[in-house]
Amino acid sequence: MLRLVSGLCSLGMAVSVMGLAGCGSDTDAVTAGTSTDRGSLVYNPPLRVASLTAPDFQAQLAAQAAGQSLLAIAGAPTCGVDIYHIEYNTVGGAGEKTTSSAALMVPTGGAAAGCSGPRPIVLYAHGTQTDKTADLADIQNPSNAEGALIAAVFAAHGYIVVASNYAGYAMSSLPYHPFLNGDQQSKDMIDALTASRTALPSTPSSATSDNGKLFISGYSQGGYVAMATHKALQAAGVAVTASAPMSGPYALEAFGDAIFYGSVDIGSTVFGAMVTSSYQHSYGNLYTQPTQVFEAAYAPNIAADILPSATPIATLFADKKLPQTALFNSTTPVTGNAQLDAALAVPANPVFALGFGTSNLITNDYRLSYVLDAVNNPDGAVPTPQVGVPPAAAPGNTLRQDLKTNDMRSWTPARPMLLCGGDQDPTVFFSVNTGTMQAFWAALPAGLVTVLDVNATPNPASPFAPLQVGFQTTIAGLLASGGQEAVVENYHTTVAPFCTVAARGFFSQF
Amino acid sequence: MIARFAKIAFGTVAATLAVCAHADEDVLSNSVRLGAYYITYDTSADDLRGPYVPPGINLKLKDVVTPYFAYVRRLNSHFSTELAFGLPPLTKTYGKGPAKVGSVPYNDQEIVTARWFAPTLLLNYSFFDESARLRPYIGAGINYTRFYSRKSTAAADAATGGPTSISLTTSVGPAATIGLNYRITRRFYVIASVSASQVDSDLTANTAGVLRKTHVSFNPRAAVIAAGYSF
């Protein structure tokens, strides 16, 4: 009996002690890849973020005003869309190993409707994002307008979409973003493509497969990245069916010169912070002390890679971590050279003048040193276009050197390309970028490079005429409702859906 | 919280030890019970949080019936200890929230199955004289719950986006019971009781490295009907 009592008491004690000691998790293992080779998947199969039938996707879009506009431009979805978040290994701006992520959007539905079976791939590059957590796969997030755009325009119409979030964003392990680093960003895109091709057969959407046609597109920063990716794939001997870079800063050195001369674009402080962070990490040649480039109030923030950030950009502006518009000081440098001083003065154009203020980002000394180098080693497109619009032969300023390194006036496409944009774009200047590339490639065979200005007078014979009419009607509506300020503020983003649908139409020829 | 439970546990064990030494050798001091547990859950959980989770994603549990076993040790004419446990039931968790996540059905879909090993140690007090045929009793003690054989169903994998592993942290919490004991013979009796325990757990779902989490209070309520044999 005593033994039994003792047994009970021991059991009671054992249960109690086991309970107290056993409060940890009891977790099953999750298989993860071990390779860190470029383009290898971190997880396979990847996470399916959403699975939408065509009617559900249409209903989701129709529930919001922006979605209704998108449906009107892109047309109703004809396919369902499965959206995957993939993580893959790639490299950073200095060649360091890192991870990046992408959205893989797979059309689903009947093969006869062009929604499954062998389908073409659109490799898509997104525009500048200040939100470090931004993820194109997060299709339920109302702020993910670009993810919804490419899903609605491409995936819901039968294209497999591979869209990198870029290293430095979402779940990437890179602590900065290699903004407008053509070599890194094209590698990131190519690695996203490799990883997606590996992942697709192991997903529930494997009824859809790669048919071998590869299209490349992207908007704004992504327009540049798309062109850089086309260049890199062509150099590697990989077949590209066609590409459609849109509203991108292709002629980077010319664009930089235009800005430093005083034609400051909308968003310049964001782009300035991001491009200097990127090039300093990639090349380490912009400064030894950030105050050599930036005003003391902002220099520590730029050096600490303030962008992209999980903090909303409006908060960063409100907290004076970054000036909202003032790239340069409104008291401009005085050199004694009347012509140069006039070039450096605050411009009469009110949009460019927004880039000047008293709480400015870039010091007068740095601006002057940059412009003096531009005067002594001029770019062939800015300020005065030269024959062939070449970049400067030997720029001395290190930022100009870096911009030239990444300038797209360094190659010639061998496959068809559509360059789409709007000629009044105050964010990424059309003439300085698209116009310069058009001039640079002027001698190419007709039809190889097509330029579409959605703001140009529509040619009724052009398949793009309805998009031009639609864009111009939208801008007229903006002007009527919000005045010129609304147009300036929204012009760049308004171009995007019209050019994206134009890209789809362009790709459909092949 | 753990310290509080530790005090309860050690208090229970100390009381057991204290009265064990005075156990009356003339009465039947040990008994075993066999019966049925009907377990219902008053589950409350935070909405699942993590990447790609739309608002309002929650869960609920379906009631289960499982065999009940207990060992009871008489301490004196009023006090006894009870170690009760059920044959670990396959507990089914169902989606609670929107009808669909994207186009994937969610609400009322079976999403997780798991088995629980959940012994409860109780110190019971029985009313009336020991010779009475019908004796109500109340009890309090401690519950230990460990989850195993956790499985995400195909429906859940479709909603969460792929093969998903589930972890549930082990729970230690207070338990209480109230019941009736009806003596049929000297050795045989039947009991009916209801009991409640606090079972809290942190649930983590891992799908391709993406973690979604929630805190779940299962709040099980159990009704028991059992037959006992004293020796």
Side-chain angles (χ1 to χ4, degrees):
Chain A
M1 184 63 75
L2 277 175
R3 204 173 68 180
L4 198 61
V5 170
S6 168
L8 164 64
C9 297
S10 301
L11 183 58
M13 179 72 83
V15 169
S16 300
V17 171
M18 184 167 62
L20 294 170
C23 295
S25 291
D26 190 4
T27 311
D28 291 334
V30 173
T31 306
T34 53
S35 172
T36 57
D37 292 346
R38 282 185 48 199
S40 59
L41 282 161
V42 176
Y43 295 101
N44 193 19
L47 176 76
R48 188 175 71 180
V49 174
S51 179
L52 294 160
T53 62
D56 283 346
F57 189 30
Q58 182 169 356
Q60 183 174 312
L61 291 171
Q64 297 174 5
Q68 291 163 15
S69 302
L70 179 53
L71 282 171
I73 301 167
T78 57
C79 304
V81 183
D82 280 0
I83 298 174
Y84 296 86
H85 168 87
I86 64 169
E87 289 181 57
Y88 54 93
N89 291 287
T90 187
V91 290
E96 67 273 43
K97 283 183 180 292
T98 190
T99 59
S100 188
S101 67
L104 168 62
M105 302 178 175
V106 186
T108 60
C115 298
S116 59
R119 302 301 308 161
I121 290 178
V122 172
L123 184 56
Y124 183 86
H126 71 74
T128 302
Q129 259 289 358
T130 57
D131 180 1
K132 191 176 179 61
T133 67
D135 180 354
L136 290 165
D138 192 4
I139 200 71
Q140 311 287 354
N141 185 341
S143 66
N144 181 18
E146 197 166 4
L149 171 68
I150 56 177
V153 172
F154 293 120
H157 291 269
Y159 291 88
I160 301 165
V161 178
V162 177
S164 174
N165 290 317
Y166 302 154
Y169 286 91
M171 297 173 187
S172 169
S173 56
L174 197 66
Y176 67 97
H177 169 53
F179 184 73
L180 297 178
N181 178 328
D183 179 64
Q184 188 282 334
Q185 292 218 259
S186 60
K187 286 175 176 167
D188 197 345
M189 293 285 286
I190 292 165
D191 294 342
L193 177 64
T194 303
S196 294
R197 282 176 162 153
T198 304
L200 181 56
S202 60
T203 68
S205 321
S206 58
T208 305
S209 58
D210 175 12
N211 74 356
K213 288 183 182 175
L214 176 62
F215 300 106
I216 307 169
S217 189
Y219 192 78
S220 192
Q221 175 193 356
Y224 169 84
V225 175
M227 189 180 286
T229 304
H230 188 163
K231 173 187 170 184
L233 285 170
Q234 182 173 298
V238 177
V240 174
T241 308
S243 70
M246 305 176 287
S247 299
Y250 318 113
L252 272 173
E253 183 192 82
F255 193 22
D257 286 9
I259 292 167
F260 271 80
Y261 272 122
S263 300
V264 182
D265 60 331
I266 300 295
S268 64
T269 56
V270 166
F271 303 139
M274 292 184 71
V275 81
T276 48
S277 167
S278 165
Y279 291 169
Q280 182 68 9
H281 277 287
S282 300
Y283 313 122
N285 63 353
L286 291 187
Y287 55 76
T288 51
Q289 294 296 323
T291 48
Q292 293 167 331
V293 179
F294 305 104
E295 294 288 358
Y298 304 112
N301 302 334
I302 306 298
D305 304 318
I306 190 171
L307 290 176
S309 170
T311 304
I313 189 68
T315 304
L316 295 178
F317 290 149
D319 292 347
K320 302 191 185 310
K321 302 287 187 190
L322 191 70
Q324 186 162 355
T325 60
L327 186 67
F328 300 128
N329 198 302
S330 50
T331 303
T332 55
V334 176
T335 65
N337 178 328
Q339 193 176 357
L340 183 58
D341 290 353
L344 292 169
V346 177
N349 183 318
V351 175
F352 298 157
L354 288 172
F356 292 80
T358 51
S359 296
N360 56 295
L361 183 63
I362 291 177
T363 66
N364 264 350
D365 284 350
Y366 189 77
R367 183 184 175 209
L368 183 58
S369 69
Y370 182 106
V371 170
L372 286 173
D373 186 61
V375 168
N376 294 326
N377 302 285
D379 183 273
V382 170
T384 307
Q386 308 295 316
V387 174
V389 291
N397 175 280
T398 52
L399 176 54
R400 293 189 79 227
Q401 289 172 359
D402 296 347
L403 291 170
K404 183 187 175 187
T405 297
N406 291 287
D407 197 299
M408 284 294 111
R409 286 171 289 175
S410 55
W411 75 299
T412 299
R415 292 292 304 167
M417 176 185 289
L418 173 71
L419 290 172
C420 184
D423 73 349
Q424 296 301 305
D425 192 336
T427 303
V428 181
F429 304 145
F430 183 87
S431 60
V432 173
N433 291 290
T434 303
T436 295
M437 296 312 299
Q438 186 178 22
F440 186 73
W441 289 329
L444 293 181
L448 192 59
V449 176
T450 303
V451 174
L452 172 62
D453 172 11
V454 291
N455 199 44
T457 303
N459 174 358
S462 165
F464 300 124
L467 292 169
Q468 291 172 308
V469 171
F471 170 76
Q472 291 165 32
T473 303
T474 305
I475 290 293
L478 272 174
L479 186 62
S481 62
Q484 192 60 37
E485 188 179 333
V487 172
V488 169
E489 199 172 308
N490 295 292
Y491 192 101
H492 188 64
T493 52
T494 303
V495 171
F498 295 98
C499 275
T500 307
V501 174
R504 184 180 71 193
F506 181 68
F507 294 158
S508 69
Q509 306 171 73
F510 304 98
Chain B
M1 182 69 92
I2 287 174
R4 189 159 63 86
F5 291 149
K7 285 179 183 172
I8 294 169
F10 281 109
T12 304
V13 171
T16 304
L17 289 170
V19 289
C20 282
H22 300 95
D24 189 339
E25 297 288 337
D26 296 332
V27 295
L28 300 174
S29 295
N30 304 293
S31 71
V32 291
R33 295 174 183 170
L34 175 63
Y37 254 131
Y38 176 77
I39 305 171
T40 182
Y41 299 93
D42 183 20
T43 305
S44 66
D46 302 331
D47 284 350
L48 197 66
R49 60 190 185 279
Y52 317 115
V53 178
I57 297 295
N58 212 297
L59 52 83
K60 59 193 174 191
L61 268 70
K62 194 172 185 179
D63 300 347
V64 293
V65 178
T66 193
Y68 156 90
F69 306 98
Y71 169 78
V72 180
R73 169 67 185 180
R74 176 184 176 279
L75 303 176
N76 61 32
S77 59
H78 289 288
F79 283 97
S80 62
T81 56
E82 174 186 349
L83 177 63
F85 53 93
L87 190 70
L90 183 68
T91 306
K92 296 178 178 177
T93 304
Y94 289 78
K96 176 182 166 188
K100 292 190 290 187
V101 175
S103 296
V104 178
Y106 182 73
N107 193 43
D108 288 331
Q109 298 294 308
E110 183 181 315
I111 53 173
V112 175
T113 61
R115 290 191 185 276
W116 308 26
F117 173 62
T120 301
L121 182 64
L122 295 161
L123 178 64
N124 293 339
Y125 176 84
S126 297
F127 297 93
F128 306 153
D129 185 82
E130 207 164 5
S131 60
R133 278 193 177 275
L134 185 67
R135 299 188 75 193
Y137 68 89
I138 56 173
I142 190 166
N143 168 268
Y144 167 90
T145 300
R146 186 177 182 86
F147 305 87
Y148 65 101
S149 293
R150 307 165 309 280
K151 299 245 180 339
S152 173
T153 65
D157 288 353
T160 56
T164 299
S165 71
I166 302 290
S167 81
L168 282 156
T169 54
T170 295
S171 167
V172 177
T177 188
I178 181 167
L180 284 171
N181 183 325
Y182 181 77
R183 185 167 56 82
I184 302 168
T185 68
R186 182 167 178 262
R187 291 187 181 275
F188 287 98
Y189 63 95
V190 292
I191 64 115
S193 72
V194 291
S195 56
S197 55
Q198 182 180 324
V199 178
D200 287 353
S201 182
D202 292 320
L203 182 153
T204 302
N206 183 335
T207 312
V210 170
L211 303 181
R212 284 82 169 250
K213 300 185 177 189
T214 187
H215 180 80
V216 188
S217 295
F218 292 99
N219 298 323
R221 308 280 181 262
V224 175
I225 295 176
Y229 175 77
S230 299
F231 54 96

